[in-house]
Amino acid sequence: DIQLTQSPSFLSASVGDRVTITCRASQGISSYLAWYQQKPGKAPKLLIYAASTLQSGVPSRFSGSGSGTEFTLTISSLQPEDFATYYCQQLNSYPLFTFGPGTKVDIK
Amino acid sequence: EVQLVQSGAEVKKPGESLKISCKGSGYSFTSYWIGWVRQMPGKGLEWMGIIYPGDSDTRYSPSFQGQVTISADKSISTAYLQWSSLKASDTAMYYCVRLRSGGIAVDSFDYWGQGTLVTVSS
């Protein structure tokens, strides 16, 4: 089974900061990686799919990159509404989809 | 507008059965896989299984195979997740999701239901 790790698991940042979250897969997954944002008490929301394609309606300050085993989610200028938990997900080993453990972004 | 609307919160006792639902609207329900995702209290996301309502083809995560049953009624655009005998460890939020295919491969879970909280306690 493909395992995903995320780093860091927690980060504290200020409004306006550039934030980068890394997701690593235990084996190559091409570009079959998605990123989700979850706010407390809410359902997750799709941000990025195919490693780097922004979902419609998602602000352009979010971007994704990577392929193979290492991926990053970058928020270019953190906004108050971006404080949330972020999950990566691999969709390469259909139908065994796997989520990463999550990265919580908190206010410094 | 695509929507997945789930049934309401449930409180059950260990050993009881339960079936929760997810109604899709705003798209062709029979043309997209629907999945279920578990989130235990304070924990991360776990993929449980998927169903293709067009022909009821179903796949399960090994972690949930035999523990739950996923079904769908395409005549009313509704998918279901059911348990025959609940355990306290089934206490969690359950989300239904729509799987989007980019070409021939699934590339994301693009729409999520609002979640159904299941509490199992004696």
Side-chain angles (χ1 to χ4, degrees):
Chain A
D1 291 5
I2 297 175
Q3 308 298 321
L4 297 178
T5 58
Q6 288 184 234
S7 59
S9 54
F10 176 86
L11 74 88
S12 187
S14 301
V15 172
D17 284 353
R18 182 181 181 88
V19 167
T20 298
I21 299 168
T22 298
C23 177
R24 290 186 175 87
S26 58
Q27 57 188 273
I29 58 171
S30 184
S31 296
Y32 289 99
L33 189 100
W35 289 96
Y36 301 87
Q37 175 194 64
Q38 186 179 32
K39 296 181 181 179
K42 299 292 188 184
K45 170 189 168 184
L46 174 65
L47 296 177
I48 287 169
Y49 61 95
S52 61
T53 304
L54 205 62
Q55 171 71 344
S56 176
V58 174
S60 59
R61 62 181 179 272
F62 290 93
S63 64
S65 65
S67 68
T69 60
E70 188 156 329
F71 302 84
T72 59
L73 171 70
T74 299
I75 309 172
S76 60
S77 178
L78 198 66
Q79 298 302 300
E81 60 269 30
D82 301 337
F83 292 97
T85 299
Y86 294 84
Y87 295 93
C88 58
Q89 180 197 28
Q90 70 82 19
L91 301 106
N92 182 72
S93 60
Y94 176 91
L96 300 180
F97 309 114
T98 316
F99 289 96
T103 295
K104 184 175 181 181
V105 177
D106 211 345
I107 302 172
K108 184 182 286 184
Chain B
E1 178 194 8
V2 174
Q3 284 193 305
L4 297 173
V5 178
Q6 298 184 229
S7 50
E10 301 274 1
V11 179
K12 292 289 191 179
K13 291 181 169 30
E16 292 186 332
S17 63
L18 176 64
K19 191 174 190 178
I20 63 175
S21 67
C22 168
K23 183 173 177 61
S25 63
Y27 72 101
S28 174
F29 186 73
T30 54
S31 300
Y32 290 81
W33 290 85
I34 288 282
W36 289 93
V37 174
R38 183 176 79 175
Q39 188 167 40
M40 299 178 77
K43 302 298 184 184
L45 306 171
E46 302 173 90
W47 168 74
M48 301 176 71
I50 56 175
I51 187 165
Y52 191 75
D55 61 8
S56 292
D57 186 8
T58 309
R59 317 287 173 89
Y60 293 92
S61 161
S63 300
F64 293 93
Q65 178 83 47
Q67 308 304 308
V68 297
T69 301
I70 294 171
S71 60
D73 184 341
K74 63 184 179 183
S75 69
I76 55 171
S77 300
T78 301
Y80 302 96
L81 177 66
Q82 68 180 93
W83 295 260
S84 58
S85 181
L86 286 159
K87 303 184 280 286
S89 58
D90 293 318
T91 295
M93 182 70 80
Y94 293 88
Y95 295 102
C96 65
V97 295
R98 190 183 81 161
L99 278 62
R100 181 179 60 196
S101 295
I104 59 171
V106 172
D107 66 14
S108 62
F109 292 180
D110 63 347
Y111 286 91
W112 293 64
Q114 83 277 20
T116 296
L117 180 63
V118 174
T119 303
V120 184
S121 174
S122 54

